[in-house]
Amino acid sequence: MQERLVDLGQDMRLVTDLLHDLNQKVAGTPTAPDATGSQESEGIPDELMAMVLEILLLTRANSTRQDIRMAQGSVEYAGLPVWEGKKRT
């Protein structure tokens, strides 16, 4: 149990660090590309997209089909596109 708590503490620190980094990226004013021409692409950072996708997949794995359909109905009602994974054949 102690080992698991240590692992969870480390995971929480990693997530906290990632959220802090993301906050720094979106909190500042936009900057022009530097002399090398590099600049982060506009839009949602890859780190945030990866977190959201992981949360979605974990939530779906632990949800009933009815719960998933209800959530998709709420997304449609909000006027947003519903994401559906590829159907297996």
Side-chain angles (χ1 to χ4, degrees), residues 2-70:
Q2 180 68 25
E3 288 178 24
R4 185 66 184 134
L5 289 173
V6 169
D7 290 342
L8 287 172
Q10 290 172 345
D11 290 346
M12 285 299 298
R13 277 191 292 283
L14 290 171
V15 170
T16 302
D17 290 345
L18 180 57
L19 289 173
H20 182 280
D21 291 344
L22 289 171
N23 186 48
Q24 293 297 322
K25 287 180 181 179
V26 299
T29 56
T31 58
D34 59 17
T36 62
S38 66
Q39 181 180 12
E40 288 199 29
S41 61
E42 294 182 22
I44 301 171
D46 288 343
E47 296 94 342
L48 182 57
M49 287 298 289
M51 284 175 41
V52 170
L53 182 57
E54 185 175 348
I55 291 168
L56 170 67
L57 294 173
L58 288 169
T59 302
R60 282 178 172 242
N62 292 303
S63 300
T64 65
R65 293 247 185 247
Q66 181 179 0
D67 289 340
I68 292 170
R69 277 189 240 114
M70 286 176 20

